[in-house]
């Protein structure tokens, strides 16, 4: 019998998106989903846990900026730094849709955005829906 190539849950999750995900974010997902560590072979984790960890990852990606830039200027003792972030709302919405499909598959509550509209100092009923 030949050697099988088993990937870890960390490799599996990182392969699901093109986003740079920091180890703290991954560790939070492992804790929330009861995964011992990122070194756990993906074959040792049931499909439900893999799917829900993937859904959590998609939401994490939706919460991160699509791209960022930084400009530093310095002249003698004077310095200035500007940073900017660009986000693709359509792509973020798709990530949330993919996460919600996985949550629905396993009977978990789907993610919804809640936003309160305040006009002229009067609070209105919260709007439950996508803000993008």
């Amino acid at each position: 019998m030949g050697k099988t190539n088993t990937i870890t849950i960390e490799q599996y999750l990182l392969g699901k998106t093109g986003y740079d995900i920091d180890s703290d974010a991954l560790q939070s997902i492992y804790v929330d989903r009861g995964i011992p560590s990122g070194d756990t072979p993906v074959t040792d984790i049931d499909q439900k846990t893999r799917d829900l960890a993937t859904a959590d990852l998609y939401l994490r990606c939706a919460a991160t900026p699509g791209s960022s830039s930084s400009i530093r200027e310095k002249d003698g003792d004077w310095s200035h730094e500007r940073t900017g972030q660009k986000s693709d709302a359509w792509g973020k919405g798709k990530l949330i849709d993919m996460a919600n499909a996985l949550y629905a598959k396993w009977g978990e509550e789907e993610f919804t955005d809640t936003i309160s509209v305040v006009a002229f100092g009067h609070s209105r009923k919260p709007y439950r829906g996508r803000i993008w």
Side-chain angles (χ1 to χ4, degrees):
M1 186 171 197
K3 182 180 175 184
T4 59
N5 184 11
T6 303
I7 64 170
T8 65
I9 186 63
E10 185 164 323
Q11 292 168 319
Y12 175 82
L13 290 174
L14 291 175
K16 290 291 188 173
T17 72
Y19 285 81
D20 290 328
I21 306 299
D22 62 38
S23 61
D24 291 339
L26 289 171
Q27 292 298 323
S28 297
I29 292 171
Y30 304 150
V31 169
D32 290 346
R33 295 297 170 190
I35 299 169
S37 76
D39 295 332
T40 305
V42 74
T43 54
D44 291 354
I45 299 170
D46 63 87
Q47 187 65 50
K48 178 180 180 180
T49 303
R50 284 196 311 256
D51 283 352
L52 294 175
T54 301
D56 294 345
L57 177 69
Y58 289 158
L59 286 184
R60 175 69 172 99
C61 292
T64 61
S67 65
S68 62
S69 63
S70 178
I71 298 172
R72 283 190 184 168
E73 300 171 307
K74 185 172 181 169
D75 185 12
D77 291 336
W78 177 86
S79 68
H80 176 72
E81 182 175 354
R82 286 184 289 175
T83 59
Q85 298 175 337
K86 195 161 77 172
S87 173
D88 179 318
W90 181 85
K92 305 293 183 170
K94 282 307 202 185
L95 284 167
I96 292 171
D97 290 344
M98 292 185 327
N100 282 338
L102 290 170
Y103 290 139
K105 175 181 176 181
W106 296 105
E108 288 213 356
E109 187 175 330
E110 294 181 22
F111 174 81
T112 57
D113 292 331
T114 302
I115 152 177
S116 243
V117 177
V118 178
F120 303 107
H122 299 285
S123 181
R124 300 200 176 220
K125 188 175 182 178
Y127 170 74
R128 297 195 185 277
R130 295 233 162 75
I131 57 174
W132 26 72

